[in-house]
Amino acid sequence: TQLPVIHLDTIYHHTNPPFYLQERKSAWRSYVQNIVEGENWIIDGNYQATMPIRIDGADVVIFLDFPRWVCIWRVFWRYFLQKIGYVAIGGNPERLSMDFLGFVWRYNSKEREKVLELLKNKGECNPEAVIILRSPEAVERFFNKR
């Protein structure tokens, strides 16, 4: 695609000073709002605080609604790939910590429903604006059709 791809992890962690610092949290929403106000973009990221801004501003939302085990496996796989020299997408290193693994493990039971509710609201206005893919195979089929 010719659209700019924005990896929120890279911006959030590697901006100087990083947005995860408490004094920069309010600037994070403004930063993402400015991105969304741009004409064309693809945004990759799962930051709940800015999810409504991104969903409202998107023409189409593709939500990867994978099972927990797939997500956990992929965390370990990305970590392994980086250990043998592959560079992470967006240059963001995979951090293997209990906090991060816990977040991934709890995502489907804590965060997923919030995202699905936001997507339901957008889908009611325009059903073609929300695409939910529930497996890596579904992702392959979707992009191979294009």
Side-chain angles (χ1 to χ4, degrees):
T1 180
Q2 299 301 316
L3 298 177
V5 178
I6 296 126
H7 298 284
L8 291 183
D9 278 349
T10 302
I11 296 165
Y12 190 79
H13 293 284
H14 298 290
T15 301
N16 191 5
F19 283 108
Y20 61 77
L21 297 174
Q22 190 60 42
E23 64 270 14
R24 299 270 291 156
K25 296 246 182 211
S26 62
W28 177 239
R29 288 179 61 81
S30 298
Y31 190 93
V32 172
Q33 182 66 50
N34 287 337
I35 292 170
V36 169
E37 288 172 359
E39 191 170 324
N40 298 304
W41 43 264
I42 296 172
I43 297 178
D44 164 49
N46 184 38
Y47 291 86
Q48 290 293 332
T50 60
M51 189 77 67
I53 294 168
R54 292 178 283 133
I55 289 175
D56 287 346
D59 294 331
V60 175
V61 177
I62 300 173
F63 179 53
L64 304 182
D65 190 18
F66 292 175
R68 175 183 292 162
W69 70 269
V70 171
C71 299
I72 292 288
W73 166 251
R74 286 185 167 196
V75 168
F76 283 106
W77 183 245
R78 287 190 309 265
Y79 184 76
F80 168 75
L81 289 176
Q82 287 180 18
K83 289 297 180 190
I84 62 170
Y86 287 89
V87 176
I89 293 176
N92 194 33
E94 190 67 44
R95 291 174 179 84
L96 195 58
S97 70
M98 290 308 293
D99 284 345
F100 184 62
L101 288 172
F103 169 78
V104 174
W105 184 259
R106 291 184 302 273
Y107 184 84
N108 281 1
S109 59
K110 293 188 77 165
E111 305 299 331
R112 179 179 174 269
E113 291 305 317
K114 297 174 194 172
V115 175
L116 290 174
E117 187 62 32
L118 290 168
L119 294 176
K120 178 182 168 206
N121 294 338
K122 185 167 189 79
E124 287 172 352
C125 297
N126 180 2
E128 294 178 2
V130 177
I131 300 162
I132 299 175
L133 303 172
R134 292 192 163 84
S135 69
E137 296 79 19
V139 172
E140 288 291 323
R141 284 192 302 273
F142 176 79
F143 285 106
N144 286 335
K145 287 193 309 188
R146 306 222 167 264

